[in-house]
Amino acid sequence: MVLIYIDQDEQEIKKASFEAICYGAALAKQIGTTAEALLLGTVNDDLTALGKFGVSKVHQVNHLALNRFDALVNAQVVAEAAKKLGATVIVFAHNINGKAVAPAVAVKLGAGLVAGACALPNTAAGFVVTKTVFSGKAFASIQIETPVKVISINQNSFGVTVGEGTASVESLTVDVPTSKSKIKITSVDKIKGEVPLTEANIVVSGGRGLKGPENWGILLALAKALGASTACSRPVSDADWRPHHEHVGQTGLQIAPNLYIAIGISGAIQHLAGVNRSKTIVVINKDPEAPFFKAADYGVVGDAFEVVPALTAAILKSKAGA
Ligand SMILES: Cc1cc2nc3c(=O)[nH]c(=O)nc-3n(C[C@H](O)[C@H](O)[C@H](O)COP(=O)(O)OP(=O)(O)OC[C@H]3O[C@@H](n4cnc5c(N)ncnc54)[C@H](O)[C@@H]3O)c2cc1C
């Protein structure tokens, strides 16, 4: 059986989980087994609706302590659940939580792990999983030889297919080792009113080309018109033009929105490492030779101070039905 880990935050299923389910379901079909999901804690979402993504059953470890993420506790519970259910492949989304839990689960189960897979395994001879390496610049194909296998799937690399069907929900009893937690959370500061960058569908991002924090108004207006979250390049957050939680890239957040609009960002490899899994990339840069254009689906060569307000006005006009 293929077991898919459902990631949740504040009792909402994270969108990366839907793609992980679709991947797990396709893999189960390929190897002739069933796909089932595992949820730790409780969520407000309708769990039976996960059947639309391809699972027949959702196992729920209904323990309130699990509503607060703790990688070590979660790994212990997932490993125990996987053993109890007889899972042979465990699939995670390769997001912040998945990256923390999947390797620990693999260690606990003595399972081979491929972190950051980008395609279904080749099971014609063995079990070979392809993953991205060197910040998405190359691919590696890795054979997993252990009986139990763990895979985390890169966001936006497989896609989400919504079908028909409902999943049954079953309660699963597993020991929740809260006393073994080595992490004590003393306070949580949440940014209010913004969609977290890792969950955002549309992201509008700015770089040093915007010249200074006083010019961010044009970017914020575009983001508001699109209902987008905002991000920035590293020098921008290093200079305190924007808060550090907006920094995307190799050393910042890695995101995979449906639409990423890069304004005045050169497209250095370290920046691309955090955004190159976006479905559609739009680049606005006054330098036609800017490296970002090579990674762009659409590009506008022009001055951001002219292009961005014009784009915002056009979007608002179209929204108003004019
Ligand atoms: C180990 C390491 C890790 C790093 N990690 C990250 C990371 O996680 N994220 C990250 O972003 N960077 C990272 N960097 C830095 C990275 O190498 C680049 O220096 C950085 O991304 C450049 O930021 P930028 O594109 O905003 O600025 P610049 O490189 O200065 O580019 C500004 C761009 O704006 C354009 N421009 C200027 N004026 C206008 C205008 N009026 N209209 C339109 N376009 C205009 C220019 O043509 C230029 O392309 C890292 C570097 C190292 C060494």
Side-chain angles (χ1 to χ4, degrees):
M1 181 259 280
V2 175
L3 187 65
I4 302 118
Y5 173 82
I6 305 295
D7 193 15
Q8 65 131 320
D9 183 39
E10 299 209 322
Q11 299 183 269
E12 299 279 334
I13 294 178
K14 288 199 184 178
K15 76 168 190 187
S17 301
F18 303 127
E19 188 175 21
I21 296 177
C22 292
Y23 178 87
L27 172 57
K29 203 170 167 193
Q30 182 179 317
I31 60 176
T33 185
T34 54
E36 301 179 10
L38 175 67
L39 172 75
L40 309 195
T42 54
V43 288
N44 299 319
D45 308 66
D46 173 16
L47 291 178
T48 62
L50 295 181
K52 287 188 299 189
F53 302 102
V55 279
S56 54
K57 211 179 266 180
V58 181
H59 302 277
Q60 182 174 18
V61 183
N62 205 333
H63 192 302
L64 286 183
L66 294 170
N67 285 346
R68 183 168 266 199
F69 181 79
D70 180 322
L72 294 178
V73 172
N74 281 29
Q76 181 67 28
V77 174
V78 175
E80 284 309 311
K83 274 194 231 162
K84 212 167 182 175
L85 297 167
T88 51
V89 186
I90 304 136
V91 173
F92 293 84
H94 195 60
N95 60 359
I96 291 176
N97 291 353
K99 282 180 201 172
V101 181
V105 169
V107 169
K108 286 180 194 302
L109 296 175
L113 163 78
V114 173
C118 57
L120 282 171
N122 180 349
T123 49
F127 196 99
V128 180
V129 191
T130 301
K131 63 168 281 182
T132 48
V133 288
F134 301 124
S135 301
K137 279 269 164 200
F139 298 99
S141 294
I142 295 166
Q143 165 120 334
I144 309 184
E145 293 178 339
T146 49
V148 178
K149 297 153 179 70
V150 177
I151 300 174
S152 61
I153 170 81
N154 269 340
Q155 285 176 260
N156 269 353
S157 61
F158 188 71
V160 176
T161 315
V162 184
E164 306 261 302
T166 29
S168 61
V169 181
E170 290 190 5
S171 173
L172 183 71
T173 308
V174 176
D175 182 38
V176 178
T178 43
S179 59
K180 288 201 186 127
S181 174
K182 295 194 174 80
I183 297 164
K184 193 172 167 209
I185 298 168
T186 49
S187 71
V188 177
D189 288 332
K190 280 245 167 197
I191 294 124
K192 293 197 178 78
E194 280 178 37
V195 179
L197 267 176
T198 49
E199 292 289 293
N201 263 327
I202 307 178
V203 173
V204 176
S205 187
R208 229 164 9 191
L210 284 175
K211 316 283 187 236
E214 66 281 6
N215 295 326
W216 238 258
I218 56 167
L219 186 148
L220 297 177
L222 175 61
K224 194 172 171 208
L226 288 167
S229 297
T230 49
C232 66
S233 66
R234 177 169 150 173
V236 164
S237 66
D238 282 353
D240 270 341
W241 293 1
R242 296 298 296 168
H244 278 279
H245 68 258
E246 288 194 0
H247 158 201
V248 290
Q250 186 183 320
T251 46
L253 284 174
Q254 273 141 50
I255 59 172
N258 282 328
L259 175 61
Y260 182 75
I261 305 180
I263 304 168
I265 303 176
S266 57
I269 183 164
Q270 296 89 355
H271 184 85
L272 290 174
V275 303
N276 59 8
R277 281 193 290 278
S278 307
K279 221 175 221 170
T280 302
I281 296 179
V282 176
V283 170
I284 300 170
N285 197 306
K286 71 173 186 186
D287 175 8
E289 301 296 322
F292 221 146
F293 283 119
K294 289 203 180 98
D297 298 284
Y298 301 95
V300 182
V301 178
D303 186 334
F305 296 99
E306 290 165 18
V307 175
V308 175
L311 183 59
T312 307
I315 290 164
L316 292 175
K317 197 171 165 191
S318 133
K319 273 179 142 180

